[in-house]
Amino acid sequence: VVHNQVNILQMLPESPSVVRRDITGARKTSGNGVDEVTKPLAFDLKKENPRIGVCIAGRLGPGINNVIQGLYDYLQTVGGTVICIAMGIIGLTDGHAFMLTDELLRPYCNAGGCDLLGQSSPESLCVSEQSMAKCAETARKFELQGLVVWGGRKTHIWTAQLAEFFAYQQVPTCVIAVPASVESNL
Protein backbone atom coordinates (compact mmCIF):
# COMPACT_ATOMS: atom_id res chain seq x y z
CA VAL A 1 0.00 0.00 0.00
CA VAL A 2 1.43 3.37 -1.01
CA HIS A 3 0.46 6.28 1.22
CA ASN A 4 0.61 9.89 0.09
CA GLN A 5 0.95 11.19 3.63
CA VAL A 6 3.46 10.64 6.39
CA ASN A 7 2.38 11.02 10.00
CA ILE A 8 5.11 10.91 12.63
CA LEU A 9 2.57 10.59 15.45
CA GLN A 10 1.63 7.13 14.19
CA MET A 11 5.13 5.98 15.16
CA LEU A 12 4.83 7.06 18.81
CA PRO A 13 3.96 4.47 21.46
CA GLU A 14 0.63 4.81 23.26
CA SER A 15 0.97 6.46 26.67
CA PRO A 16 -1.09 8.77 28.88
CA SER A 17 1.15 11.72 28.00
CA VAL A 18 1.04 11.18 24.22
CA VAL A 19 -2.06 12.17 22.31
CA ARG A 20 -2.16 10.35 19.00
CA ARG A 21 -4.13 11.71 16.11
CA ASP A 22 -5.18 10.28 12.82
CA ILE A 23 -4.14 11.87 9.54
CA THR A 24 -6.98 14.42 9.71
CA GLY A 25 -5.91 15.68 13.13
CA ALA A 26 -8.81 14.07 14.98
CA ARG A 27 -7.97 12.71 18.41
CA LYS A 28 -7.31 9.01 18.09
CA THR A 29 -6.96 7.92 21.71
CA SER A 30 -8.19 9.30 24.96
CA GLY A 31 -5.16 9.88 27.14
CA ASN A 32 -5.27 11.95 30.28
CA GLY A 33 -2.21 13.99 29.29
CA VAL A 34 -2.14 17.54 28.02
CA ASP A 35 -3.34 17.87 24.43
CA GLU A 36 -0.80 20.19 22.81
CA VAL A 37 -1.03 18.92 19.23
CA THR A 38 -3.89 20.74 17.50
CA LYS A 39 -3.09 19.98 13.87
CA PRO A 40 -1.89 16.87 12.10
CA LEU A 41 1.86 16.51 11.75
CA ALA A 42 1.44 15.23 8.23
CA PHE A 43 2.66 16.39 4.87
CA ASP A 44 0.13 15.96 2.08
CA LEU A 45 2.06 15.19 -1.09
CA LYS A 46 -0.99 15.95 -3.22
CA LYS A 47 -1.84 19.36 -1.79
CA GLU A 48 -2.70 21.86 -4.51
CA ASN A 49 0.27 24.03 -5.55
CA PRO A 50 2.56 23.12 -2.63
CA ARG A 51 5.33 25.55 -1.67
CA ILE A 52 8.39 23.81 -0.22
CA GLY A 53 11.39 25.64 1.18
CA VAL A 54 14.93 24.26 1.01
CA CYS A 55 17.63 25.31 3.47
CA ILE A 56 21.25 24.13 3.76
CA ALA A 57 21.87 24.38 7.47
CA GLY A 58 25.17 22.60 7.71
CA ARG A 59 28.37 21.99 5.89
CA LEU A 60 28.59 20.63 2.38
CA GLY A 61 27.75 17.05 1.61
CA PRO A 62 27.46 15.14 -1.62
CA GLY A 63 24.14 15.24 -3.42
CA ILE A 64 22.57 18.53 -2.30
CA ASN A 65 21.94 19.73 -5.85
CA ASN A 66 20.43 16.36 -6.73
CA VAL A 67 18.04 16.63 -3.77
CA ILE A 68 17.02 20.10 -4.91
CA GLN A 69 16.65 18.88 -8.52
CA GLY A 70 14.50 15.91 -7.46
CA LEU A 71 12.26 18.08 -5.30
CA TYR A 72 11.96 20.66 -8.08
CA ASP A 73 11.16 18.02 -10.72
CA TYR A 74 8.46 16.45 -8.54
CA LEU A 75 6.88 19.77 -7.60
CA GLN A 76 6.72 20.74 -11.28
CA THR A 77 4.44 17.73 -11.87
CA VAL A 78 1.95 18.93 -9.22
CA GLY A 79 2.14 22.66 -9.88
CA GLY A 80 4.33 23.31 -6.84
CA THR A 81 7.15 25.71 -6.12
CA VAL A 82 10.58 25.36 -4.53
CA ILE A 83 11.53 28.33 -2.37
CA CYS A 84 15.29 28.47 -1.82
CA ILE A 85 16.30 29.83 1.57
CA ALA A 86 19.50 31.76 0.90
CA MET A 87 22.51 31.40 3.20
CA GLY A 88 21.11 28.68 5.45
CA ILE A 89 19.94 29.54 8.96
CA ILE A 90 20.72 33.22 8.49
CA GLY A 91 18.37 33.32 5.50
CA LEU A 92 15.73 31.38 7.43
CA THR A 93 15.82 33.73 10.40
CA ASP A 94 16.11 36.91 8.32
CA GLY A 95 13.64 35.92 5.59
CA HIS A 96 15.99 35.80 2.59
CA ALA A 97 14.64 33.51 -0.11
CA PHE A 98 13.95 33.22 -3.82
CA MET A 99 11.79 31.07 -6.09
CA LEU A 100 13.65 28.36 -7.98
CA THR A 101 13.30 28.31 -11.77
CA ASP A 102 14.65 26.10 -14.55
CA GLU A 103 17.09 28.85 -15.55
CA LEU A 104 18.51 29.13 -12.04
CA LEU A 105 18.75 25.38 -11.47
CA ARG A 106 20.14 24.21 -14.83
CA PRO A 107 23.82 25.23 -14.25
CA TYR A 108 23.90 23.28 -10.94
CA CYS A 109 22.39 20.01 -12.19
CA ASN A 110 24.56 17.08 -10.96
CA ALA A 111 27.24 19.50 -9.75
CA GLY A 112 28.89 19.55 -6.34
CA GLY A 113 28.85 22.39 -3.86
CA CYS A 114 26.00 24.63 -2.80
CA ASP A 115 26.64 27.83 -4.71
CA LEU A 116 22.96 28.08 -5.66
CA LEU A 117 21.66 28.49 -2.10
CA GLY A 118 24.67 29.19 0.06
CA GLN A 119 24.98 27.59 3.47
CA SER A 120 25.45 28.24 7.13
CA SER A 121 27.62 26.38 9.59
CA PRO A 122 26.20 24.31 12.45
CA GLU A 123 27.65 26.91 14.79
CA SER A 124 25.03 29.41 13.57
CA LEU A 125 22.18 27.24 14.86
CA CYS A 126 20.36 29.03 17.66
CA VAL A 127 17.68 27.35 19.72
CA SER A 128 16.33 30.47 21.39
CA GLU A 129 12.60 31.06 21.22
CA GLN A 130 13.29 34.35 19.43
CA SER A 131 15.27 32.68 16.61
CA MET A 132 12.68 29.90 16.28
CA ALA A 133 9.95 32.55 16.07
CA LYS A 134 11.88 34.28 13.27
CA CYS A 135 12.06 30.97 11.39
CA ALA A 136 8.30 30.58 11.85
CA GLU A 137 7.78 34.11 10.56
CA THR A 138 9.77 33.27 7.41
CA ALA A 139 7.79 30.04 6.88
CA ARG A 140 4.55 32.02 7.14
CA LYS A 141 5.86 34.88 4.98
CA PHE A 142 6.64 32.52 2.10
CA GLU A 143 3.54 30.34 2.80
CA LEU A 144 5.61 27.17 3.04
CA GLN A 145 3.79 23.86 3.43
CA GLY A 146 7.13 22.13 3.90
CA LEU A 147 10.69 23.04 4.83
CA VAL A 148 13.49 20.68 3.78
CA VAL A 149 16.57 21.15 5.96
CA TRP A 150 19.85 19.64 4.72
CA GLY A 151 22.52 18.97 7.33
CA GLY A 152 24.33 16.68 9.71
CA ARG A 153 23.84 15.51 13.28
CA LYS A 154 23.96 18.90 15.01
CA THR A 155 21.72 20.40 12.37
CA HIS A 156 19.05 17.76 12.85
CA ILE A 157 18.99 18.11 16.61
CA TRP A 158 18.04 21.71 15.86
CA THR A 159 15.68 20.61 13.04
CA ALA A 160 13.74 18.40 15.49
CA GLN A 161 13.46 21.33 17.91
CA LEU A 162 12.24 23.56 15.06
CA ALA A 163 9.60 20.98 14.08
CA GLU A 164 8.39 20.82 17.68
CA PHE A 165 8.29 24.63 17.89
CA PHE A 166 6.30 24.82 14.64
CA ALA A 167 3.81 22.22 15.92
CA TYR A 168 3.42 23.99 19.26
CA GLN A 169 2.99 27.40 17.59
CA GLN A 170 0.66 25.88 14.95
CA VAL A 171 2.86 26.96 12.06
CA PRO A 172 1.39 25.19 9.01
CA THR A 173 4.82 24.04 7.77
CA CYS A 174 6.13 20.49 8.06
CA VAL A 175 9.87 20.30 8.71
CA ILE A 176 11.71 17.58 6.80
CA ALA A 177 15.30 16.62 7.64
CA VAL A 178 17.67 15.38 4.95
CA PRO A 179 20.72 13.83 6.64
CA ALA A 180 24.04 14.60 5.02
CA SER A 181 27.67 14.93 5.98
CA VAL A 182 31.01 15.58 4.40
CA GLU A 183 32.00 12.03 5.32
CA SER A 184 28.84 10.60 3.67
CA ASN A 185 28.23 8.56 6.82
CA LEU A 186 24.65 9.40 7.76
Side-chain angles (χ1 to χ4, degrees):
V1 174
V2 176
H3 297 283
N4 290 321
Q5 298 177 340
V6 177
N7 190 334
I8 62 171
L9 290 182
Q10 292 174 342
M11 296 184 279
L12 295 175
E14 297 287 344
S15 78
S17 62
V18 174
V19 176
R20 293 184 68 189
R21 297 184 174 275
D22 67 16
I23 203 70
T24 65
R27 192 178 185 124
K28 205 170 181 185
T29 61
S30 58
N32 55 3
V34 177
D35 184 359
E36 292 182 354
V37 180
T38 58
K39 69 178 186 73
L41 295 176
F43 179 68
D44 185 354
L45 295 177
K46 292 193 175 186
K47 186 173 181 117
E48 190 172 317
N49 304 319
R51 294 173 59 86
I52 310 299
V54 177
C55 177
I56 303 174
R59 293 185 176 86
L60 287 177
I64 180 61
N65 290 322
N66 297 76
V67 169
I68 296 168
Q69 179 75 51
L71 181 61
Y72 179 80
D73 289 346
Y74 172 75
L75 288 175
Q76 292 302 293
T77 67
V78 296
T81 305
V82 174
I83 304 296
C84 295
I85 308 297
M87 302 312 295
I89 299 303
I90 295 164
L92 189 57
T93 56
D94 293 347
H96 303 298
F98 59 92
M99 188 181 321
L100 189 59
T101 64
D102 282 326
E103 295 78 29
L104 288 172
L105 183 58
R106 193 173 304 119
Y108 301 97
C109 185
N110 292 321
C114 60
D115 296 334
L116 176 63
L117 273 71
Q119 71 188 63
S120 59
S121 68
E123 290 76 29
S124 62
L125 298 171
C126 184
V127 294
S128 72
E129 189 167 338
Q130 181 181 7
S131 70
M132 295 282 183
K134 286 182 170 185
C135 294
E137 184 179 316
T138 298
R140 286 186 173 116
K141 173 182 172 182
F142 293 105
E143 300 174 350
L144 300 178
Q145 283 83 39
L147 175 63
V148 175
V149 181
W150 169 278
R153 291 177 186 94
K154 289 180 185 176
T155 298
H156 293 313
I157 291 169
W158 176 85
T159 302
Q161 293 168 335
L162 182 67
E164 290 172 353
F165 182 85
F166 278 18
Y168 182 75
Q169 296 294 320
Q170 299 183 23
V171 178
T173 305
C174 294
V175 181
I176 303 141
V178 176
S181 75
V182 292
E183 294 89 19
S184 297
N185 63 353
L186 293 180

